[in-house]
């Protein structure tokens, strides 16, 4: 694989991961019956940054993920496991289409 192809694949994976993580955070936030603003405030995250997390526009540090998990009442590891499962499902769907 050429360097440019590796860079493209890496970028696509990063974007997909951010997007899926955002979906998971939204699902957990809705289950916790919190508004985006409430989750941001209680986690110590800027509301506009929270929006970028949920829409997959930015990466999240491990510390931020831990704070979000604590506010949402879930373990950080559970969020990561959910992310991994969803990413595997997407990979399977992509593989089936090829």
């Amino acid at each position: 694989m050429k360097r440019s192809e590796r860079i493209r694949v890496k970028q696509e994976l990063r974007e997909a991961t951010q997007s899926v993580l955002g979906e998971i955070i939204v699902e957990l936030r809705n289950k916790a019956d919190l508004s985006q603003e409430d989750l941001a405030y209680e986690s110590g995250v800027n509301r506009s940054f929270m929006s970028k997390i949920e829409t997959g526009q930015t990466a999240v540090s491990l510390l931020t993920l831990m704070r979000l998990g604590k506010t949402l009442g879930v373990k950080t590891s559970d969020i990561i496991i959910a992310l991994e499962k969803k990413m595997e499902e997407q990979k399977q769907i992509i593989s089936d289409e090829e």
Side-chain angles (χ1 to χ4, degrees), residues 50 62 98:
M50 187 74 246
L62 182 56
E98 294 176 344

Side-chain angles (χ1 to χ4, degrees), residues 83-95:
L83 173 63
E84 189 174 43
K85 285 181 182 178
K86 283 195 172 206
M87 292 300 292
E88 286 175 1
E89 289 169 6
Q90 283 190 358
K91 182 180 177 186
Q92 184 61 43
I93 291 169
I94 292 168
S95 296

Side-chain angles (χ1 to χ4, degrees), residues 36-53:
Q36 188 181 76
E37 187 173 358
D38 289 339
L39 176 57
Y41 178 78
E42 292 181 30
S43 300
V45 175
N46 181 287
R47 200 222 40 90
S48 63
F49 185 63
M50 187 74 246
S51 175
K52 289 181 179 182
I53 293 170

